Amino acid sequence: MRTRSNSGVRLDYYQRVVHKLILDHQQPVTGLFPASPDNDHAWIRDNLYCILAVWGLSMAFKKIADQDEDRAKTYELEQSCVKLMRGLLMAMMQQKDKVEKFKSTQHPLDSLHAKYSSTTGRSVVKDNEWGHLQVDAISLYLLILAQMTASGLQIVFSLDEVAFIQNLVFYIESAYCTPDYGIWERGDKTNHGLPELNASSIGMAKAALEAMNELDLFGARGGPSSVIHVLADEAQKCQAVLQSMLPRESNSKELDSGLLSIISYPAFAVDDPQLITKTRDTIVNKLQGKYGCKRFLRDGHKTPREDPNRLYYEPWELRMFENIECEWPLFFCYLILDYCFQGDKNNISGYMQKLENLMIRKEDDGIKLVPELYAVPPEKADLEQCQPGSQERIPLGRCPFIWAQSLYILGKLLQEGFLAVGELDPLNRRLCSEKKPDVVVQIVILAEDNEIRDKLIEYDLHVQTIAEVAPIEVQPARVLSHLYTYLGRNKKLGLSGRKSRDVGILSTSKLYSLNDRIFAFTPQNFDYEEYYMSRDPALLASTFTANVAFLGMSWKQMLGRPTITLLATQYLLDQGKIPMAMITTMKKLKSGYINGTRVTLGNLGDFLSTSAITNLSFLGSQEDGYPDKLNPQVQSYLEEHLLRSFSNKLSFLSRPAGAPNARMLKRRMSVRGAIKKTRSINVDSETLGMEGEYVGPQLERKPSWLEVDAHYGRSPSPDDARRRSITKGTSTTGLGVGSITPTEVAKEKLPTPPKEQVLINKNIPVIVRNRTASESQGVSYAEQETDELVTMLRETESLDEQGDILQYLVDTHGLEFNTGMTENGKAVTVKDLLKSLYEKACTQKLWGLVRHTAGMLGKRVEDLAKAVTDLLVRQKQITVGMPPNNEHTITAPLPENELRQLIHLAYGDDESTAMLTQELLVYLAMFIRTEPQLFLEMLRLRVGLIIQVMATELSRTLSCDGEEASEHLLNLSPFEMKNLLYHILSGKEFAINSVGRGNFSIVSNKSHRYGKKSQIILESGQSLQGNIEDIPPIVEPDRQGQWLRRRRLDGALNRVPRDFYPRVWGVLEKCQGLVIQGKVLQPNLTQEMTSGELKFALAVETVLNSIPQPEYRQLVVEALMVLTLVVEYKAVSHLGGTITVEHLVHKANQIFLEDQMRCNGDATLCCAKADGGGGGGALLCGGAAGVCQHLYDSAPSGSYGTMSYLARAVAALLAERLPPGAPVECAIT
């Protein structure tokens, strides 16, 4: 008998256990594990967790190998791992067509299956019979494949398999916006088969993408063609969404123990140590019990009250499962591994003790087994519900539960020192939350030609031209995105390579080598040809600094420094000069720091040794057997795309000599304002956000000369657009309904012309033709005049006038209409004219015209779909269109063209506002990426309302009427627009400076008269003193209207106080419903949803959004807060029947007016009259919804504050509802 060291004996014991419990069940043909002896289905996820113990044990044996048979055991265990991994690979490769299809559709029915037959590796259920789309399972496969390959196992054998795995990377790279069924295969917790965005899937995908990046699947024996490439930006997007979701799992699950696999082993997907701790603590506090952790709150699986005859639950049933959810010992295994990686011995032994007490000993050989779950016995369910944790539970489900058993064995191997944590994690993922040294961002500025280089030298900025950096080639980002479409192509497997065209700033900040050439790429958001926002130098400068800050934060797990290559082109010049915004930014760069990020400015050649360089070897012709020769298609593409200069001067609108004649002048009057008529922004303060709901006396609008001229093709307003969609006429006959006289038509909200136009107008007789005249005549009349219009178009200098004429031509003839002009022998269409006008407006920085023509040309904002997705995946919903009748809600990511259609549909013919909406969505996405804290407590972004509030703010600061304000708004440069939006989101006061040429700049006010706090600060009811201390006693002139403005902003942004929705949930528990605007919040919502659930918050918010006036909505929110205090202090046991929240607000208003009359306050001038206020008539002060303007403008706190009036109103309500003589607890804080 040979002697065996102690460690050897102990490992032999584990080897027996692993053999008995795991390897005995491995199918000899496919290598897969069946779910149980009587179910031969093999789940990808369970199989992967099963094999981890085998892999761990093989590495433990490799270390002690004190005899030859240990080496043999090591090899046998390793090959079992390889066999399983290849078995799964073969099963997935049989579904290669699904992978190809899913890349473009992301449809649940096109996804890879979640389980296969363990005997044949073929599919076992149909596409629609199971929730197959589980991104986390495929991601886990890639992650473990990467870790095993890094540990020295050879799993992938051929380049075809490499191509397939590269396509699996594309399969998961959109995980951040792909709703799936998740780790428990259920989707929404009612189990109706609705997929949702799951944090655990996104985290696993992020880990897999990072692990796979630059990994050679052939291990040490591979070459460039077996390397997997991942675009760093895709992992970064997953990271950002994960950060915004944790500790929430999804819309219906406010928390899930499955997140333990994300914050720790195996994924290590979170790099913020505080967020890791917060998530772990929340799970331990809310879900951990004596027998393990619950999977999520109200999980009905295997509980005694679950109906075993159906898969799904009714929404109202979920309440029955509260406190009796099953507890899973599996999660103790995750926690043990988590503490092993942290090296926390006390917690390891504590949890190991708990787990071993729960394990069940096998009769025959005494091996301890981990059961699947512990459930409450049926007869004890009621007792457990009343007193959670008091009852003994019984083990149910599979025993042993191999997933948990495997993790338990790993934990034991780590605890007893047979494995080091680094061996289980050869890619060092566990270090991602360690502090890293600061990133230095390298910046290269190149001039397009010598002329620009010389202009920069004047400012002491020495740069190279494109010609001088040769042999390094500089290309725009779209070339890189095209090259990446060749990645993963494989003819034999029918795989087409990468579908997404998006390359982010992380990808363009690397240099790329291809054979012996080196490429640098300029960032995607600097592609000038695409979009007008890149024509505003100030915006470009601010985007650039944001990019640098982003790189400083997000450049992780990459060798080398990031390099941003910028191109100074002719486009940037403003009237031949380099704009100041650019110069100041470049000067800052020379200082070595910009907004706290370290930068270094230099030449490309100097940075070659320090940059991150990626090899584009996949562009070779591997499949034709010439890996070193470029693919011929790529060769020709690159030759075409060597940077061309982009200067094309258009000369259609050059002006012939000769003065305009009188007839022209008259003709000109009929098209003037054509663009203005398409506007739909409404700023009249009484009707902010509520056209069609205004109850006061209708303001009589005088018909202006513009409208009398209506039948010369008015461009229709959205109201007509609605009417027209019924009559299907052209825009000239849009109003041809019976014999309406033009003066009746004219009750449109149209601008009255400025004075000088009116003067001209008096001298020109305007013929009013009756609308009953036959339409055909009108049309021919228009045709006669078209050539005159075209001549006039060439004569006029003013771009605005050219815009009006073109708007008229588009309305009457459409974009493709041939104008009869020719340029270089080609006929010129209206569209060509518009393009050239767009170019000129861009050059002259006439932003209102730029937006309008861009809208008419159907130009798109760079990456609108991506911006919308960025907002949605961070759990914000978006509405576009003007409230209250035209709002369209976007709740799921849409493709670019559908989004554009939806936005244009929402605004009718108002091209400028449709364009502005797209622009604002891009800014909102920028802010949510860089400053997510601006969006706290906001669930829905209502872009239409935000536009109206922006216009209201302008009209307030510039003291002009709404019409002018919306003109000013549409004429703000993109940078100022972004700035204004920022000030509105952050609630900062601002002032407006005029900067000549009708442009404005927006600057923060230095006077911080009140902090950026939400208006109601009731931290669990402590301080009712809101922010009174912050306000100095000096009354500045514009202090009036300050609270009204705050309420209007918060109401328009849908901002609510902290923990508002969970507290409303508490109020609903105590009454029979809340009524707001005639819509009822039923108390049964609390049966369906938990208090922290996002679905509940959205339900409350939908009801609140039916209130059209933002400031009134805010008072309703304040009223609800007072009700939550009554409930939280248990002043009464129950609030009685349904509560109409608006009654409380009106009651508070009534008490306020009585007080005002007593002390003769400001409101006596408008509403506080002896006859009991303005009763049914309109309020003199124009307060929304019949509430006095002065109440809206009161601070929340103080004896005359809104809170005290609302509290008195609630007290009055309780007095009515309580039986007389019932005691009321009065706790004074």
Side-chain angles (χ1 to χ4, degrees):
M1 175 81 186
R2 287 169 307 164
T3 55
R4 186 95 162 104
S5 63
N6 284 344
S7 58
V9 174
R10 189 81 182 126
L11 275 183
D12 289 344
Y13 163 72
Y14 282 123
Q15 197 236 349
R16 280 201 305 281
V17 172
V18 165
H19 230 281
K20 254 204 158 101
L21 298 183
I22 301 178
L23 292 177
D24 269 356
H25 301 293
Q26 189 169 21
Q27 286 286 347
V29 179
T30 57
L32 302 178
F33 296 107
S36 65
D38 45 359
N39 177 356
D40 78 330
H41 296 183
W43 270 263
I44 296 181
R45 185 185 304 99
D46 297 50
N47 271 256
L48 290 165
Y49 278 116
C50 290
I51 206 69
L52 286 177
V54 182
W55 178 49
L57 193 61
S58 76
M59 291 188 290
F61 268 117
K62 195 189 260 176
K63 278 200 299 198
I64 66 153
D66 52 1
Q67 289 152 10
D68 287 347
E69 69 224 48
D70 288 341
R71 290 199 189 87
K73 277 177 192 162
T74 303
Y75 185 70
E76 184 201 350
L77 291 166
E78 285 182 347
Q79 290 314 103
S80 298
C81 298
V82 173
K83 175 113 183 158
L84 173 100
M85 295 301 281
R86 288 195 59 75
L88 287 172
L89 182 61
M90 295 307 106
M92 292 190 282
M93 281 182 79
Q94 286 175 358
Q95 297 198 319
K96 56 185 186 297
D97 310 340
K98 286 183 158 304
V99 174
E100 180 56 36
K101 213 166 158 193
F102 185 83
K103 286 189 301 189
S104 7
T105 63
Q106 268 119 42
H107 192 282
L109 295 182
D110 295 332
S111 66
L112 283 171
H113 283 197
K115 56 179 187 175
Y116 299 93
S117 157
S118 58
T119 48
T120 65
R122 300 210 167 270
S123 56
V124 280
V125 287
K126 296 202 183 74
D127 295 351
N128 55 357
E129 291 176 349
W130 197 258
H132 284 299
L133 176 51
Q134 297 167 26
V135 175
D136 72 305
I138 309 294
S139 305
L140 183 67
Y141 178 79
L142 292 174
L143 172 63
I144 289 177
L145 173 68
Q147 294 278 28
M148 286 183 170
T149 305
S151 77
L153 298 186
Q154 173 90 41
I155 294 167
V156 176
F157 293 173
S158 71
L159 284 177
D160 296 324
E161 290 171 12
V162 172
F164 180 74
I165 286 181
Q166 178 67 64
N167 278 276
L168 283 187
V169 168
F170 300 146
Y171 180 94
I172 64 165
E173 74 177 7
S174 57
Y176 72 99
C177 61
T178 309
D180 70 340
Y181 293 101
I183 186 169
W184 310 124
E185 308 193 291
R186 332 194 117 197
D188 184 284
K189 70 176 169 199
T190 51
N191 215 8
H192 280 268
L194 304 167
E196 47 181 15
L197 212 54
N198 290 297
S200 51
S201 296
I202 295 171
M204 200 55 85
K206 174 201 183 237
L209 290 169
E210 289 179 346
M212 274 287 162
N213 192 18
E214 307 283 323
L215 178 83
D216 191 331
L217 287 176
F218 291 175
R221 306 188 189 81
S225 48
S226 53
V227 173
I228 294 292
H229 296 267
V230 178
L231 276 84
D233 299 273
E234 306 300 333
Q236 162 54 35
K237 284 178 202 161
C238 291
Q239 152 76 19
V241 176
L242 191 59
Q243 289 271 9
S244 76
M245 286 178 82
L246 289 178
R248 179 189 299 286
E249 158 75 351
S250 69
N251 277 4
S252 72
K253 304 185 193 75
E254 57 176 276
L255 189 61
D256 190 312
S257 296
L259 291 170
L260 289 171
S261 64
I262 301 306
I263 57 174
S264 173
Y265 187 78
F268 299 106
V270 187
D271 37 23
D272 171 2
Q274 288 170 317
L275 194 54
I276 295 176
T277 314
K278 179 182 174 184
T279 307
R280 185 191 307 111
D281 293 348
T282 319
I283 290 173
V284 169
N285 295 335
K286 287 196 180 175
L287 299 174
Q288 183 178 310
K290 266 192 303 206
Y291 297 88
C293 299
K294 302 164 178 179
R295 297 190 304 180
F296 46 88
L297 297 172
R298 299 189 179 178
D299 166 20
H301 180 62
K302 292 245 166 75
T303 55
R305 296 187 178 162
E306 182 183 45
D307 179 349
N309 303 320
R310 55 189 162 97
L311 273 174
Y312 62 90
Y313 307 126
E314 298 297 349
W316 49 264
E317 289 188 299
L318 291 173
R319 187 64 179 268
M320 303 192 315
F321 306 133
E322 198 157 296
N323 298 336
I324 59 164
E325 304 97 335
C326 296
E327 294 180 355
W328 296 58
L330 163 71
F331 298 113
F332 283 166
C333 303
Y334 275 115
L335 284 162
I336 289 167
L337 289 173
D338 185 3
Y339 289 118
C340 287
F341 276 89
Q342 292 177 48
D344 177 343
K345 290 216 168 67
N346 292 344
N347 271 318
I348 299 175
S349 51
Y351 275 107
M352 196 60 96
Q353 190 62 51
K354 282 183 184 172
L355 180 61
E356 288 179 345
N357 294 341
L358 300 173
M359 291 167 76
I360 296 165
R361 216 176 260 283
K362 257 169 83 176
E363 296 297 316
D364 47 354
D365 50 14
I367 297 178
K368 288 179 135 186
L369 309 179
V370 187
E372 183 171 1
L373 50 85
Y374 276 90
V376 180
E379 66 280 3
K380 296 186 177 163
D382 294 340
L383 293 166
E384 175 74 15
Q385 202 148 22
C386 306
Q387 206 183 349
S390 60
Q391 304 303 308
E392 293 288 310
R393 293 177 175 238
I394 48 173
L396 287 181
R398 288 167 284 179
C399 183
F401 183 40
I402 307 286
W403 174 349
Q405 192 80 31
S406 169
L407 293 180
Y408 164 69
I409 293 170
L410 279 185
K412 291 301 278 183
L413 291 172
L414 286 166
Q415 189 189 20
E416 295 178 19
F418 293 115
L419 271 181
V421 286
E423 290 171 292
L424 273 185
D425 178 29
L427 290 170
N428 294 330
R429 295 209 40 80
R430 63 192 182 288
L431 306 177
C432 75
S433 54
E434 303 284 315
K435 190 110 181 68
K436 309 268 187 321
D438 282 352
V439 174
V440 180
V441 181
Q442 304 175 148
I443 291 162
V444 178
I445 298 172
L446 296 175
E448 185 179 28
D449 50 29
N450 294 347
E451 178 197 346
I452 292 188
R453 184 190 60 185
D454 300 340
K455 285 190 172 157
L456 283 169
I457 287 178
E458 291 170 24
Y459 294 98
D460 193 29
L461 293 162
H462 297 271
V463 301
Q464 292 179 302
T465 61
I466 295 179
E468 290 168 348
V469 293
I472 301 174
E473 302 169 47
V474 181
Q475 300 277 12
R478 54 177 185 274
V479 173
L480 180 61
S481 89
H482 181 81
L483 294 181
Y484 264 117
T485 58
Y486 289 90
L487 179 57
R489 287 193 186 182
N490 185 299
K491 292 195 198 80
K492 274 196 275 184
L493 291 172
L495 295 171
S496 67
R498 187 169 188 260
K499 281 280 187 284
S500 160
R501 284 311 190 118
D502 186 35
V503 284
I505 182 81
L506 292 173
S507 306
T508 51
S509 300
K510 296 176 175 176
L511 299 180
Y512 291 85
S513 64
L514 181 56
N515 301 350
D516 43 4
R517 302 159 76 175
I518 291 184
F519 289 95
F521 294 98
T522 57
Q524 180 170 293
N525 40 12
F526 288 77
D527 263 4
Y528 301 110
E529 293 177 16
E530 280 304 310
Y531 186 55
Y532 67 80
M533 280 157 68
S534 57
R535 299 296 188 80
D536 178 11
L539 184 73
L540 273 185
S542 96
T543 310
F544 167 72
T545 42
N547 278 346
V548 172
F550 175 78
L551 279 174
M553 293 184 310
S554 311
W555 189 262
K556 301 190 179 96
Q557 276 126 357
M558 284 183 260
L559 298 168
R561 292 174 172 178
T563 309
I564 300 186
T565 311
L566 292 179
L567 209 50
T569 58
Q570 295 287 348
Y571 262 123
L572 287 180
L573 299 182
D574 189 1
Q575 300 171 331
K577 291 196 208 50
I578 290 176
M580 272 328 287
M582 290 293 173
I583 298 299
T584 46
T585 310
M586 290 178 191
K587 289 256 167 81
K588 272 190 204 161
L589 291 176
K590 285 177 81 172
S591 74
Y593 274 93
I594 184 159
N595 294 2
T597 309
R598 283 184 59 192
V599 292
T600 160
L601 194 58
N603 291 339
L604 264 177
D606 312 340
F607 289 150
L608 279 179
S609 55
T610 51
S611 296
I613 299 187
T614 296
N615 185 354
L616 295 177
S617 52
F618 59 83
L619 295 172
S621 313
Q622 270 94 0
E623 291 198 81
D624 305 332
Y626 298 107
D628 303 332
K629 277 181 64 179
L630 257 191
N631 186 328
Q633 291 170 293
V634 179
Q635 184 76 44
S636 59
Y637 177 79
L638 283 174
E639 281 161 9
E640 270 172 46
H641 265 81
L642 289 170
L643 258 180
R644 311 181 285 268
S645 172
F646 346 80
S647 53
N648 47 344
K649 306 269 188 294
L650 294 162
S651 56
F652 310 134
L653 301 176
S654 53
R655 174 177 179 178
N661 56 25
R663 175 138 186 235
M664 281 301 175
L665 192 62
K666 165 187 165 185
R667 181 70 203 138
R668 188 171 296 173
M669 297 320 303
S670 65
V671 282
R672 171 169 281 158
I675 289 183
K676 222 175 189 182
K677 289 184 213 168
T678 60
R679 305 273 198 256
S680 64
I681 302 176
N682 164 36
V683 197
D684 300 334
S685 58
E686 315 85 73
T687 63
L688 177 58
M690 44 173 294
E691 299 104 301
E693 300 233 352
Y694 176 50
V695 272
Q698 189 59 47
L699 302 180
E700 197 48 55
R701 286 198 163 73
K702 302 281 182 294
S704 76
W705 50 274
L706 266 174
E707 296 149 304
V708 178
D709 227 15
H711 38 273
Y712 292 147
R714 336 175 6 269
S715 79
S717 71
D719 298 313
D720 294 85
R722 249 175 267 137
R723 259 174 265 163
R724 197 172 69 220
S725 62
I726 306 166
T727 53
K728 289 278 185 295
T730 62
S731 62
T732 30
T733 60
L735 296 165
V737 190
S739 59
I740 300 175
T741 56
T743 30
E744 283 173 325
V745 172
K747 286 195 181 155
E748 285 280 319
K749 297 181 188 176
L750 285 194
T752 42
K755 297 221 175 61
E756 64 276 353
Q757 295 178 7
V758 180
L759 291 175
I760 307 173
N761 182 29
K762 283 183 184 153
N763 311 337
I764 299 172
V766 175
I767 311 146
V768 178
R769 284 162 64 248
N770 213 357
R771 204 57 178 144
T772 43
S774 89
E775 292 301 340
S776 57
Q777 261 181 348
V779 177
S780 64
Y781 177 50
E783 270 166 15
Q784 276 171 13
E785 307 257 354
T786 307
D787 46 346
E788 289 181 21
L789 276 177
V790 173
T791 328
M792 196 175 108
L793 191 61
R794 303 179 72 146
E795 288 180 1
T796 172
E797 288 281 302
S798 144
L799 292 189
D800 282 329
E801 236 166 76
Q802 295 184 8
D804 283 341
I805 295 170
L806 286 172
Q807 169 75 44
Y808 171 75
L809 285 174
V810 171
D811 280 346
T812 44
H813 302 290
L815 281 174
E816 300 306 325
F817 176 68
N818 183 348
T819 54
M821 296 154 100
T822 50
E823 174 93 7
N824 303 340
K826 284 201 194 83
V828 174
T829 60
V830 175
K831 190 173 183 175
D832 299 327
L833 294 176
L834 262 179
K835 277 186 183 154
S836 100
L837 175 65
Y838 168 78
E839 285 301 323
K840 284 187 181 169
C842 280
T843 321
Q844 294 189 23
K845 310 273 185 272
L846 297 169
W847 296 111
L849 196 56
V850 169
R851 285 188 178 98
H852 193 81
T853 47
M856 286 167 72
L857 287 167
K859 281 198 175 289
R860 64 192 185 86
V861 176
E862 91 124 333
D863 271 333
L864 176 65
K866 191 172 138 229
V868 168
T869 304
D870 273 337
L871 293 163
L872 290 172
V873 293
R874 289 173 177 79
Q875 301 95 60
K876 305 290 175 220
Q877 295 193 346
I878 301 163
T879 66
V880 295
M882 291 302 178
N885 333 5
N886 243 357
E887 284 193 280
H888 296 261
T889 307
I890 304 171
T891 53
L894 291 173
E896 193 91 37
N897 47 354
E898 284 182 37
L899 266 174
R900 289 235 327 274
Q901 278 172 342
L902 181 76
I903 291 175
H904 283 265
L905 176 82
Y907 294 101
D909 288 350
D910 186 355
E911 299 289 356
S912 323
T913 318
M915 228 36 221
L916 179 58
T917 297
Q918 297 188 34
E919 196 179 318
L920 290 180
L921 284 170
V922 170
Y923 301 148
L924 285 167
M926 281 181 191
F927 292 144
I928 205 165
R929 283 196 289 266
T930 52
E931 300 190 50
Q933 70 281 2
L934 288 177
F935 295 84
L936 286 175
E937 306 300 343
M938 289 159 61
L939 292 177
R940 214 170 261 158
L941 303 166
R942 301 168 73 189
V943 183
L945 205 49
I946 289 177
I947 292 178
Q948 295 192 351
V949 169
M950 287 168 93
T952 319
E953 285 290 87
L954 282 183
S955 83
R956 186 180 67 87
T957 30
L958 297 170
S959 44
C960 60
D961 66 357
E963 192 58 54
E964 277 177 70
S966 52
E967 274 308 298
H968 287 317
L969 178 68
L970 288 166
N971 276 305
L972 284 180
S973 75
F975 175 68
E976 296 307 342
M977 188 70 78
K978 179 180 164 194
N979 219 345
L980 175 61
L981 178 65
Y982 180 80
H983 279 89
I984 280 178
L985 278 178
S986 58
K988 286 181 180 156
E989 290 277 314
F990 62 90
I992 291 187
N993 301 343
S994 180
V995 202
R997 270 201 296 172
N999 289 349
F1000 295 103
S1001 87
I1002 288 154
V1003 288
S1004 295
N1005 260 355
K1006 289 293 171 280
S1007 65
H1008 291 297
R1009 277 198 303 281
Y1010 46 84
K1012 288 194 299 183
K1013 303 182 185 173
S1014 177
Q1015 292 163 13
I1016 310 167
I1017 301 192
L1018 291 175
E1019 293 304 339
S1020 62
Q1022 294 335 308
S1023 84
L1024 274 165
Q1025 293 312 94
N1027 6 26
I1028 285 294
E1029 309 81 36
D1030 312 2
I1031 302 175
I1034 315 129
V1035 178
E1036 284 115 347
D1038 67 336
R1039 272 294 299 286
Q1040 187 144 26
Q1042 170 186 306
W1043 280 105
L1044 171 64
R1045 169 176 175 269
R1046 284 300 300 275
R1047 287 196 169 95
R1048 198 167 270 170
L1049 287 187
D1050 281 347
L1053 295 170
N1054 291 4
R1055 197 175 263 139
V1056 293
R1058 283 232 333 252
D1059 294 335
F1060 173 72
Y1061 297 109
R1063 294 165 91 170
V1064 171
W1065 191 89
V1067 173
L1068 265 186
E1069 286 270 70
K1070 292 275 186 279
C1071 68
Q1072 280 157 27
L1074 293 167
V1075 185
I1076 297 170
Q1077 281 277 310
K1079 295 197 168 71
V1080 186
L1081 279 172
Q1082 300 284 359
N1084 67 355
L1085 287 177
T1086 60
Q1087 306 281 322
E1088 293 173 32
M1089 308 171 196
T1090 54
S1091 61
E1093 205 170 298
L1094 199 63
K1095 272 172 36 182
F1096 174 73
L1098 286 168
V1100 178
E1101 217 234 15
T1102 308
V1103 171
L1104 281 174
N1105 281 357
S1106 60
I1107 303 176
Q1109 312 89 328
E1111 59 269 49
Y1112 184 43
R1113 177 187 196 276
Q1114 232 20 43
L1115 274 189
V1116 169
V1117 167
E1118 292 179 36
L1120 281 168
M1121 282 307 280
V1122 176
L1123 281 174
T1124 63
L1125 290 179
V1126 172
V1127 171
E1128 281 165 26
Y1129 284 106
K1130 303 192 171 61
V1132 285
S1133 58
H1134 199 268
L1135 294 171
T1138 54
I1139 299 175
T1140 310
V1141 187
E1142 287 124 310
H1143 287 177
L1144 293 176
V1145 178
H1146 287 292
K1147 179 78 182 156
N1149 184 45
Q1150 188 189 330
I1151 303 174
F1152 168 74
L1153 294 179
E1154 287 162 12
D1155 270 9
Q1156 288 284 308
M1157 280 158 65
R1158 260 208 305 285
C1159 62
N1160 202 10
D1162 292 350
T1164 47
L1165 300 174
C1166 55
C1167 311
K1169 295 278 193 290
D1171 59 358
L1179 296 178
L1180 297 167
C1181 59
V1187 176
C1188 178
Q1189 198 87 359
H1190 292 289
L1191 180 62
Y1192 286 124
D1193 202 22
S1194 313
S1197 47
S1199 53
Y1200 290 103
T1202 51
M1203 292 308 274
S1204 67
Y1205 288 114
L1206 287 165
R1208 285 157 75 180
V1210 171
L1213 167 88
L1214 292 179
E1216 290 164 24
R1217 300 222 165 158
L1218 286 179
V1224 174
E1225 291 290 318
C1226 183
I1228 293 176
T1229 51

